Structure formats: structure tokens, C-alpha cells
Amino acid sequence: AEELKHEGARACMDAAAGLGYQETPSINSQRMSGQAWVDFNIKDQRRQSSATAFLRPAMEGDNVTVLTDAPVTSLDMEGTRCVGVTYLHNGQPVSVRAASEVVLSAGAIDSPRLLMHSGIGIASDLQALGITPVVDLPVGVGLQDHILGAGVNYEAKGPVPVSHYNHSEVYMWERSESSLRSPDMIALYVSVPFASSGHSLDYEHGYCILSGVATPQSRGYVKLASSNINDAPIVEANYLAEEQDWRSYRAATELCRALGASDAYSEFRKRESLPQQEGDLTEAEWREFLSASVNTYFHPTSTCQIGQVVDPDLRVKGIEGLRIADASVMPHITTSNTNAPSMMIGWRCGTMLTEA
């Protein structure tokens, strides 16, 4: 409802308009660029998760069993065919055999981890850990994540009202250079103070305008630390390895500062607390501030890419009976957040299975 929109979010929309940016009716419309009120997954006036939308209705039938606290420990292989999975339940290993296919949907960190523990990955890396390779594929290579810059913060003159919808009601995607194919900058108003572990905040009442890199060029990897399934994998996001990411990140953060300095925030803003300096920063100061502000957006993708690890039908190359359906199959990260695209991948995989 219009009257429930947060005052700080309204100020962000007004600030962007005052800087000459054009509002877009929806981030999911034909024009992504511009400031917009965030779209929500809502049905019958309630927020709706993917589990509510897809899983719970399926559970009403007699052909779906859902187990929680049941971590998979291996994909069970017979030669180059995946015949099932082994998982722990109530602390005991349980193996289940697939009548047709196994679909791995553990995300861009755990899907490659399970593949590698099952012998599917870079053969030389697996052999070095004492794992017998089943098929040699570039599993874990190409990790991408949106950078979240946390970032530009403000102390408020008084208590900031609680949002009726979400701490972040307004997002903005824009291009730092007009020649870019798609927006590379993200700015988002958040109605609570939030900073990365590289910074500290010493006040109670505040808000922030966080920056982000929508189209990162840098890539990292996921590797196994050992052959022990209980050991966490090595995750190297490799943020800001490419200079273009630095340029996009700085431009996005400068946009956030410009929004926050706008007269639209004058009735709320006591002071800019981060960066802790008046006026512009030197190049060295920018690098230091941006490095300290880097945070994950929790959007990992691209570690089991289509064309490299899976084919266009999401089948793992060289393996029978195994598909992957999650953000790991993306050849490169989406400009948008990854929630809706991941659901689309799952939906498409379900269609493929019914048509097989």
C-alpha cells in the first residue's frame, strides 16, 4: 500500500529523480535501468517462498517424500552412471536408488562439492586428494558472485521506523558507462545500519545505501580441501580481480554517496558515517574503503556451467542419469538477483524430465 512505503525509501526514489535518473515501473519490466520499488513474491497478500509455491503443493501427492536434516554424502556411481545417492538421516547412512535419474540441486557451492567427492571434477585435483576420477570435467571453475558494498552509512537524527515490507524496499540498477550492454551498478536503500566486518559503527539509529556490482567480470573457484566429506570446501570468490569490477564498484558507491547527500534525506540525515571523511576521497583512499566494504551478495553461480560441465539439457557430461538444476549451471551470473532465475532453471529441468 502506498501509505506503508518507508519514508527512507521514498527519499531514495526522490533523490534518484533529483539526480536526473528515470524511475522504472518494475525491475522486471522491459527497462531494468533506473530506481524502482522492489517486486515481491506475493500471493493472497502473503510473501511466498519457492517451497510454498512449488514444494508444498507437490507434497500433497503420494509421489514426493521430503526429508530434512538429511545431508547427501555421495552420488552413488556404477561406472559412469549415477544410480542413486547416499545421505545421512538420524545420523545413519541411507542409500536410495534412482529408477530413472538423479537431479542435483545443492547450489553453486555444494553441487560441485558433491560432484568432486563422487569422482566428477578436474582429474588431477581429485587424484591429488586420493579420489579416483570417474570423469574429467572443470567442476568448480568459474565461480561468480555479485559484490555487495557495505558500505555507505549514515547516522540518523532519530529512530528510523521499521519497514512494513522489507528493510530494503528500493533498488536501483544503472550503467556506469552508456556503452555497456546492461547495468553494471546496483544501489539499494536499507532502513537499518549495515556494514561489512571491515568497518565498525558506533551509533544506534541509522540507515545505509549499499552499492553493488551487477555484472562482475572476476571469477573464482570451489575446490575440495580434502577427501573428507565433512571438511568445508575451499571457496575463492576472487572479488575485484578484474579492473572493470573496480570501476563499476567505485561508480556504484559514488552513486550511493550522491543519493545519500541529497536534500531528500536532509530531514533524516545527521551525518555520513562511512566513508568517515568529508568530500571526495583520493584514489588510494577509495581503494582502501572499497576493499574494506566488500561483502558477498550470497548469489554464487557458475561452478558447473552449461557447455562445460552440463549440456543444454542439464545432463552432466560423460555421466548417465545425472542432471544439475541450480545456479551453478549459469555460464555467467545474471544482472539481476539470482532467486527468480534459479527457480526458472528448476522449472525448466522439471519440464525436461517429464518430456524425457
Side-chain angles (χ1 to χ4, degrees), residues 74-78 81-86 95-96 118:
S74 70
L75 304 173
D76 298 335
M77 307 295 297
E78 291 183 358
R81 181 172 184 83
C82 182
V83 296
V85 299
T86 296
S95 293
V96 59
S118 304

Side-chain angles (χ1 to χ4, degrees), residues 120-252:
I120 303 168
I122 299 173
S124 58
D125 288 354
L126 300 180
Q127 288 169 334
L129 295 174
I131 298 172
T132 302
V134 175
V135 63
D136 187 6
L137 291 172
V139 172
V141 176
L143 173 66
Q144 286 193 300
D145 183 20
H146 292 132
I147 293 171
L148 178 65
V152 178
N153 271 261
Y154 298 88
E155 184 177 9
K157 292 179 180 178
V160 178
V162 175
S163 170
H164 289 283
Y165 297 106
N166 192 358
H167 287 310
S168 181
E169 297 179 27
V170 168
Y171 266 66
M172 184 176 180
W173 271 263
E174 266 300 346
R175 292 170 173 80
S176 62
E177 302 172 20
S178 60
S179 60
L180 293 175
R181 181 181 62 85
S182 59
D184 61 323
M185 302 188 300
I186 307 171
L188 55 147
Y189 168 78
V190 180
S191 57
V192 295
F194 177 73
S196 72
S197 59
H199 300 298
S200 61
L201 301 172
D202 58 356
Y203 49 85
E204 180 180 0
H205 305 306
Y207 56 91
C208 58
I209 304 178
L210 305 182
S211 60
V213 179
T215 53
Q217 305 302 304
S218 304
R219 288 184 180 269
Y221 57 82
V222 175
K223 290 186 176 183
L224 296 183
S226 75
S227 59
N228 187 338
I229 189 67
N230 295 314
D231 288 346
I234 299 167
V235 181
E236 175 52 75
N238 213 19
Y239 295 126
L240 301 172
E242 298 292 334
E243 190 63 27
Q244 177 59 47
D245 293 351
W246 277 104
R247 291 195 293 269
S248 299
Y249 184 23
R250 174 171 171 175

